[in-house]
Amino acid sequence: MGTSALDKKETTQKDFLPLEGTDYVEFYVGNAKQAAHYYMTAFGFQALAYAGPETGVKDRASYAIRQHKLTFVLTTPLRSKNPIADHIYRHGDGVKAISLRVQDATGAWEETTRRGARSYLEPTRLKDENGEVVMSGIHTYGDTVHLFIERQNYNGSFMPGYRPWSHPHFKPTDTGLQYVDHCVGNVGWNQMNPWVSFYENVMGFKNILTFDDADISTEYSALMSKVMSSGNGFVKFPINEPAEGKKKSQVEEYLEFYDGEGVQHVALATKDIVATVRDLMSRGVEFLKVPGTYYDDLIDRVGHIDEDLGPLKELGILVDRDNEGYLLQLFSKPVEDRPTLFFEIIQRKGAKSFGKGNFKALFEAIEREQEARGNL
Ligand code: FE2
C-alpha cells in the first residue's frame, strides 16, 4: 500500500481515544518524602502539591512535583497490608500509573473497556473549590495502569484531594527537562505481540517501528521491541520483550528483579541535552558510559550535527540519525537498588525514531553493568 493511501485511511478513521499527552507519571515508592526530595534535588523538579492524612487521604502520602510540562507523583503507603504496600514489596520502587490527558475520561474508559481493557478505576468525579477532575483507569502490562485524566474544568494546583505544596527555602533550579517523550514497557517472553495487539485494538495505537534480530547483531541481540504510537503521535509506548542472545537479556534481568512486567524507562525531553546532562551529572545523577571509541567514527555514521563533538564525548551523549533528522540521547543507571527503572534524556532534532543505531553501544554498556552485578 502506498503512503498516500495509508495517510488517507488514517485521516478518515476517527480516533476513538484522542490523547492530549502524558498528564503525569505516578511512582509507588518506599519513602515518598525522600523520593520527592531526590527528584527535586537531582532532576530539578519543583514542589507542586501534597495529599495525605492532612488532606483527608488516610492510606497514603503523595507528593506531586513539576518541571515545565513534566509532572511526577511519588506515592507511598502509610501502613502495611494494602495494595500500594504489596506493590512495593513485590516490585520495589517503580512506575504504577502512566496517566494520559483526555477531554472525556468517561468516554475513554467506555471505549477501551468495551474493546477488552480490564477496568482499574471506573469514571470518578473529584471535586473541590477549584473545580472538577474526572479520572478513570485501565490495566496494562504487569501491575501497571493507565489513568485517563480530564481536567479542563479544574483550576487548582494539581487535583482535588491535594493541597498546594512548596518549600519556603528550597527551590532547586530546573535542569531543562520539558515533557515525557516516551515510556517503555518490558514484557515477558512472547508477550510483545499480544501487548502490541492490546495497544492497537484497545487504545487505537499504531505500530510505527519494529526492532528485531535483523536490526541488531546477534551477539548483543538481547531484546525485541515494537514502538506503539497514539493516533496523533503525542503518546508513544515502545514494548520490549527479551530475546535469546549469547548473554542473559537485560529485559530478563529486569523481569526477574521487578518480579514481573513493568515500565523499563521513561524518556524525558530537553531542548539542550548538553546543558541538561551536565547539570544532572553535577547533581549526582548517574549515566551509562559508552567507550570513548564510540565517537571515533560518529560523524561518519550520522553525518553533520550542530553540536560540538567535545562536550558530547565528555558527557557520553549518544547520537543517531534517521531519514527525518537526528536525535541525541543518554540513559541513566537504574534509579533504585534493583536493576529496574531508569531514565532516558532525549533531544530530538527532526528524528522521530528511538536510537536504533545506538543499540549495540548501549547494550555493551548495559552488559558491563549487568556483569558487575553478576547477572550475565
Ligand atoms: Fe527510549
Side-chain angles (χ1 to χ4, degrees):
M1 187 190 292
T3 318
S4 56
L6 196 68
D7 286 347
K8 198 173 172 191
K9 187 169 169 243
E10 279 177 3
T11 50
T12 52
Q13 275 176 352
K14 190 176 175 301
D15 188 352
F16 64 82
L17 185 62
L19 302 175
E20 301 182 337
T22 305
D23 194 274
Y24 65 90
V25 180
E26 181 169 15
F27 304 76
Y28 279 180
V29 297
N31 185 334
K33 179 176 279 204
Q34 290 191 5
H37 194 277
Y38 169 74
Y39 285 106
M40 292 164 68
T41 307
F43 283 79
F45 284 77
Q46 292 291 325
L48 176 67
Y50 165 83
E54 300 88 339
T55 70
V57 180
K58 297 300 182 196
D59 66 338
R60 67 186 72 185
S62 294
Y63 296 78
I65 55 176
R66 180 168 289 167
Q67 178 168 188
H68 299 285
K69 289 181 179 171
L70 194 54
T71 308
F72 284 178
V73 176
L74 293 315
T75 293
T76 202
L78 296 174
R79 294 183 177 82
S80 60
K81 302 185 185 69
N82 75 44
I84 306 171
D86 294 347
H87 197 280
I88 295 165
Y89 177 78
R90 180 169 175 191
H91 301 299
D93 288 6
V95 171
K96 175 62 183 180
I98 302 168
S99 301
L100 305 167
R101 180 86 56 88
V102 295
Q103 288 284 323
D104 177 5
T106 306
W109 183 88
E110 286 170 353
E111 292 285 355
T112 50
T113 53
R114 188 162 63 79
R115 288 171 167 81
R118 193 157 56 92
S119 174
Y120 172 71
L121 176 69
E122 290 187 15
T124 304
R125 285 176 191 282
L126 307 168
K127 289 183 187 181
D128 67 12
E129 67 279 12
N130 297 303
E132 177 185 87
V133 169
V134 187
M135 277 177 86
S136 62
I138 59 172
H139 290 268
T140 178
Y141 47 78
D143 288 327
T144 316
V145 301
H146 291 310
L147 298 176
F148 301 115
I149 311 291
E150 173 189 330
R151 58 163 73 252
Q152 61 267 27
N153 298 317
Y154 192 68
N155 295 311
S157 59
F158 181 54
M159 284 233 233
Y162 284 75
R163 69 181 186 194
W165 167 54
S166 67
H167 272 281
H169 307 296
F170 179 56
K171 299 191 189 303
T173 53
D174 78 74
T175 60
L177 296 171
Q178 302 289 332
Y179 55 86
V180 173
D181 185 275
H182 59 276
C183 283
V184 181
N186 277 341
V187 300
W189 293 94
N190 304 313
Q191 292 303 302
M192 178 179 69
N193 285 327
W195 284 108
V196 164
S197 300
F198 169 88
Y199 281 104
E200 281 171 347
N201 300 333
V202 170
M203 295 183 70
F205 281 40
K206 298 269 186 300
N207 175 211
I208 57 167
L209 276 173
T210 298
F211 307 118
D212 58 26
D213 292 346
D215 294 312
I216 310 155
S217 77
T218 37
E219 190 174 353
Y220 301 103
S221 176
L223 65 78
M224 293 191 291
S225 190
K226 286 188 177 176
V227 181
M228 305 307 295
S229 173
S230 63
N232 57 18
F234 291 171
V235 177
K236 291 183 282 294
F237 293 145
I239 307 290
N240 296 333
E241 76 169 49
E244 295 289 354
K246 284 188 182 171
K247 296 167 180 172
K248 183 175 180 174
S249 168
Q250 52 168 292
V251 178
E252 207 179 347
E253 188 198 35
Y254 174 101
L255 295 169
E256 187 182 321
F257 281 85
Y258 198 71
D259 193 12
E261 302 178 340
V263 173
Q264 178 207 40
H265 73 266
V266 180
L268 310 174
T270 171
K271 294 173 184 167
D272 182 351
I273 195 166
V274 171
T276 294
V277 168
R278 198 185 290 286
D279 202 356
L280 292 171
M281 278 181 183
S282 76
R283 296 165 184 238
V285 179
E286 300 172 308
F287 290 95
L288 291 177
K289 199 81 183 152
V290 291
T293 52
Y294 172 88
Y295 297 91
D296 292 349
D297 58 349
L298 180 68
I299 301 305
D300 294 338
R301 276 186 284 126
V302 302
H304 171 78
I305 54 172
D306 303 332
E307 292 72 16
D308 291 335
L309 212 51
L312 300 183
K313 184 172 179 177
E314 174 205 339
L315 300 170
I317 294 166
L318 310 173
V319 190
D320 195 25
R321 183 177 288 278
D322 62 25
N323 50 23
E324 291 174 278
Y326 67 97
L327 61 83
L328 305 113
Q329 64 186 166
L330 185 55
F331 297 85
S332 81
K333 292 186 180 180
V335 290
E336 53 288 301
D337 294 294
R338 299 191 196 195
T340 52
L341 175 75
F342 60 89
F343 290 96
E344 172 182 351
I345 311 300
I346 185 166
Q347 181 181 4
R348 294 186 180 277
K349 300 194 109 174
K352 296 203 179 78
S353 55
F354 294 82
K356 184 171 82 179
N358 290 321
F359 271 33
K360 185 168 185 287
L362 189 63
F363 279 17
E364 288 170 325
I366 289 175
E367 283 170 6
R368 279 194 300 277
E369 298 283 319
Q370 248 178 291
E371 195 163 22
R373 292 189 287 262
N375 293 334
L376 261 189

Short mmCIF file of all heavy atoms in Angstrom, two decimals, residues 182 184 265 331 344, ligand 1:
data_model
loop_
_atom_site.label_atom_id
_atom_site.label_comp_id
_atom_site.label_asym_id
_atom_site.label_seq_id
_atom_site.Cartn_x
_atom_site.Cartn_y
_atom_site.Cartn_z
N HIS A 182 8.61 9.42 25.66
CA HIS A 182 8.01 8.07 25.54
C HIS A 182 8.25 7.29 26.83
O HIS A 182 9.12 7.65 27.62
CB HIS A 182 8.57 7.31 24.33
CG HIS A 182 10.06 7.10 24.34
ND1 HIS A 182 10.94 8.05 23.88
CD2 HIS A 182 10.82 6.06 24.75
CE1 HIS A 182 12.18 7.59 24.00
NE2 HIS A 182 12.15 6.38 24.54
N VAL A 184 8.70 3.22 28.08
CA VAL A 184 8.96 1.88 27.55
C VAL A 184 8.54 0.81 28.56
O VAL A 184 8.89 0.90 29.74
CB VAL A 184 10.45 1.70 27.21
CG1 VAL A 184 10.71 0.33 26.63
CG2 VAL A 184 10.90 2.79 26.23
N HIS A 265 11.85 2.25 31.16
CA HIS A 265 12.39 3.61 31.25
C HIS A 265 11.38 4.64 30.78
O HIS A 265 10.48 4.35 30.00
CB HIS A 265 13.74 3.75 30.55
CG HIS A 265 13.75 3.76 29.05
ND1 HIS A 265 13.95 2.64 28.29
CD2 HIS A 265 13.62 4.78 28.16
CE1 HIS A 265 13.96 2.97 27.01
NE2 HIS A 265 13.75 4.27 26.89
N PHE A 331 21.27 7.49 28.67
CA PHE A 331 20.48 6.67 29.57
C PHE A 331 21.09 6.70 30.96
O PHE A 331 22.30 6.54 31.12
CB PHE A 331 20.41 5.23 29.05
CG PHE A 331 19.72 5.14 27.72
CD1 PHE A 331 20.42 5.35 26.54
CD2 PHE A 331 18.36 4.90 27.64
CE1 PHE A 331 19.79 5.30 25.30
CE2 PHE A 331 17.71 4.85 26.41
CZ PHE A 331 18.43 5.05 25.24
N GLU A 344 15.76 8.05 30.39
CA GLU A 344 16.48 8.47 29.19
C GLU A 344 16.32 9.97 29.07
O GLU A 344 15.23 10.50 29.31
CB GLU A 344 15.87 7.78 27.96
CG GLU A 344 16.41 8.29 26.62
CD GLU A 344 15.75 7.61 25.41
OE1 GLU A 344 14.99 6.61 25.60
OE2 GLU A 344 15.98 8.08 24.29
FE FE2 B 1 13.84 5.17 24.90
#
